[in-house]
Amino acid sequence: MTPVYVDNNATTQVAPEVLATMLPYFREYYGNPSSMHNFGGQVGPKVRQARQQVAELIGAAADEIIFTSCGSESDNTAIRSALSCYPERRHIVISRVEHPAIRSLGTTLAKQGYRVTEIPVDSRGHLDMARLQESLTPDTAIVSIMWANNETGVIFPIEEIAELVHRQGIMFHTDAVQAVGKIPINLRQTPIDMLSLSGHKLHAPKGTGALYVRKGTKFSPFLIGGHQERGRRAGTENVPGIIGLGRGCQLAADNLERENTFVRELRDHLEHELLRLVPNAVVNGDHDQRLPNTSNISFEFVEGESILLMLNEFNICASSGSACTSGSLEPSHVIRAMGVPFTMAHGSIRFSLSVYNTREEIDFIIDKLPPIIERLRLMSPFGNSGVKACTCQ
């Protein structure tokens, strides 16, 4: 049975064009771009081309791009760089709904004596801008707020936040891993200092990422060693991966309109039909300020893990939250931060689509999921009483 894959915020398939671009650099052109000989040196122009392709997707200059191994490395590099450049400042501001790459780092830094402020969100997933402004102090080294949430797809007003933070003379970083390639981004028009992106979220290979660092921004490397990346990130370059990341970014730019039309229509069709067919189901997060590919729906009185297991019997691949926290039976920290009631929070499912999904696949999910929810509710005493209570209204 062919998988119906709607878990693209966890990872994406490598695009055929990306794979074809990468393959020669595993066996035919495997030289080290730092070598003096021609065999290694011939790889250098392809790395430079990839850097330009990444830069063009986000409206940056090529020399503002540092290749990394993933979004988490980019996030860690950005925050640790700010703390290293401003050692007298001991305060960090993040949001309560950040990815574990940021939140877990915040927890670690708090144990090392840093003060970490987490800004709350409201029931629609919007950031509390007043609390953000109040939190900024002369002791704040960096503010790191994600561009779009990985679980709900809610988009934060990053340009406005960057302006606010900059007026206070504070460095600003955004984890844009879910936003890059899904919505237009032009860093020439914003004061963002640093931005993280990841290859495997946009049909490039896993193990690739990049950190944008605006020209003139103070920077201290995370990985120390060789002179690679102009001394900003040591380690021999992952040449096939970098070339794949560049091609993936080029494809993402080409597909941006399709992402915001075709994919959005598929997402809306899925959402509309599931809400019509399944009582006691709600969409989590703002309906309008969302990534075009993401829908997070809570099905009251049932467990998300049970839903996923039964979907898996039909080879439908979705998730109950971040892939980096899957396996936990606790409700998602994002859904809890939004104040979603307990009976809803446990039954939240994230559907994240891509340009490779089809209308037939979405209709297949619409056909299979409602009976699954009905069956699970019949097995649950809470489900029986709850649904009956609602149906009587």
Side-chain angles (χ1 to χ4, degrees):
M1 190 185 297
T2 304
V4 175
Y5 190 81
V6 284
D7 197 14
N8 289 278
N9 286 8
T11 195
T12 60
Q13 65 165 296
V14 173
E17 300 93 328
V18 170
L19 179 62
T21 305
M22 292 172 60
L23 285 178
Y25 295 89
F26 285 103
R27 288 186 58 83
E28 297 169 44
Y29 307 108
Y30 55 84
N32 187 326
S34 298
S35 297
M36 292 295 292
H37 47 70
N38 290 338
F39 184 71
Q42 67 183 334
V43 176
K46 296 299 292 186
V47 173
R48 288 196 291 277
Q49 180 187 42
R51 201 182 306 278
Q52 183 64 38
Q53 290 167 325
V54 174
E56 286 176 359
L57 179 60
I58 57 176
D63 60 1
E64 294 175 315
I65 303 299
I66 301 172
F67 289 120
T68 66
S69 66
C70 59
S72 293
E73 183 192 326
S74 299
D75 289 342
N76 273 257
T77 300
I79 290 180
R80 291 186 182 280
S81 170
L83 297 178
S84 177
C85 291
Y86 298 94
E88 72 283 5
R89 301 186 182 186
R90 307 286 292 177
H91 180 222
I92 304 156
V93 177
I94 63 176
S95 83
R96 197 167 287 173
V97 295
E98 293 296 313
H99 185 274
I102 295 290
R103 280 193 94 213
S104 297
L105 176 60
T107 302
T108 297
L109 291 171
K111 291 175 181 174
Q112 295 172 2
Y114 289 94
R115 188 164 57 91
V116 180
T117 299
E118 291 189 349
I119 306 301
V121 297
D122 65 16
S123 60
R124 293 196 298 163
H126 292 160
L127 196 72
D128 187 334
M129 295 293 286
R131 289 284 292 276
L132 172 63
Q133 186 158 13
E134 292 167 6
S135 73
L136 304 180
T137 73
D139 189 41
T140 306
I142 185 168
V143 174
S144 180
I145 303 290
M146 65 193 340
W147 200 307
N149 188 266
N150 50 306
E151 296 190 26
T152 63
V154 172
I155 297 170
F156 286 152
I158 287 302
E159 291 93 343
E160 181 184 350
I161 294 170
E163 294 279 357
L164 170 67
V165 172
H166 252 239
R167 284 199 295 271
Q168 304 293 322
I170 299 168
M171 193 175 287
F172 180 70
H173 163 257
T174 181
D175 177 347
V177 161
Q178 296 293 346
V180 172
K182 298 191 181 88
I183 56 175
I185 290 177
N186 187 350
L187 294 174
R188 293 188 186 92
Q189 297 177 351
T190 80
I192 293 169
D193 295 302
M194 292 185 279
L195 174 148
S196 300
L197 65 90
S198 175
H200 77 108
K201 308 295 189 183
L202 45 74
H203 302 290
K206 299 173 182 63
T208 62
L211 176 66
Y212 158 84
V213 181
R214 177 178 293 279
K215 282 177 187 170
T217 301
K218 285 187 175 182
F219 183 77
S220 177
F222 181 40
L223 285 182
I224 307 296
H227 62 277
Q228 292 88 355
E229 297 298 290
R230 299 169 63 199
R232 297 179 295 180
R233 197 267 187 183
T236 302
E237 296 90 341
N238 171 12
V239 172
I242 287 171
I243 290 171
L245 174 60
R247 185 73 175 102
C249 286
Q250 186 183 45
L251 278 177
D254 293 343
N255 285 327
L256 201 53
E257 183 178 351
R258 184 172 172 81
E259 188 84 41
N260 285 274
T261 53
F262 173 72
V263 175
R264 184 188 297 274
E265 287 171 9
L266 288 184
R267 189 274 312 270
D268 291 348
H269 174 56
L270 172 68
E271 211 167 67
H272 179 270
E273 288 303 300
L274 290 180
L275 295 184
R276 183 177 70 83
L277 295 169
V278 182
N280 295 66
V282 297
V283 174
N284 294 312
D286 190 291
H287 286 216
D288 299 320
Q289 295 300 313
R290 268 191 303 166
L291 294 175
N293 77 319
T294 305
S295 179
N296 188 306
I297 303 179
S298 278
F299 302 96
E300 197 169 23
F301 308 121
V302 290
E303 291 285 342
E305 301 299 323
S306 301
I307 300 171
L308 293 178
L309 288 172
M310 295 181 77
L311 285 175
N312 189 53
E313 293 179 7
F314 297 102
N315 220 3
I316 298 171
C317 311
S319 72
S320 57
S322 165
C324 296
T325 55
S326 63
S328 169
L329 294 179
E330 291 295 317
S332 146
H333 74 281
V334 174
I335 301 302
R336 280 183 293 157
M338 292 165 59
V340 175
F342 182 81
T343 53
M344 281 286 189
H346 270 278
S348 67
I349 299 294
R350 179 186 69 183
F351 304 94
S352 47
L353 284 58
S354 83
V355 293
Y356 293 104
N357 285 122
T358 65
R359 178 84 174 202
E360 289 73 24
E361 289 178 328
I362 300 307
D363 286 339
F364 184 73
I365 298 172
I366 293 167
D367 180 58
K368 298 303 179 188
L369 184 51
I372 288 175
I373 302 298
E374 184 178 12
R375 182 178 163 193
L376 288 172
R377 283 176 174 167
L378 287 173
M379 295 162 60
S380 163
F382 297 105
N384 268 321
S385 59
V387 173
K388 284 175 182 173
C390 268
T391 318
C392 292
Q393 289 178 356

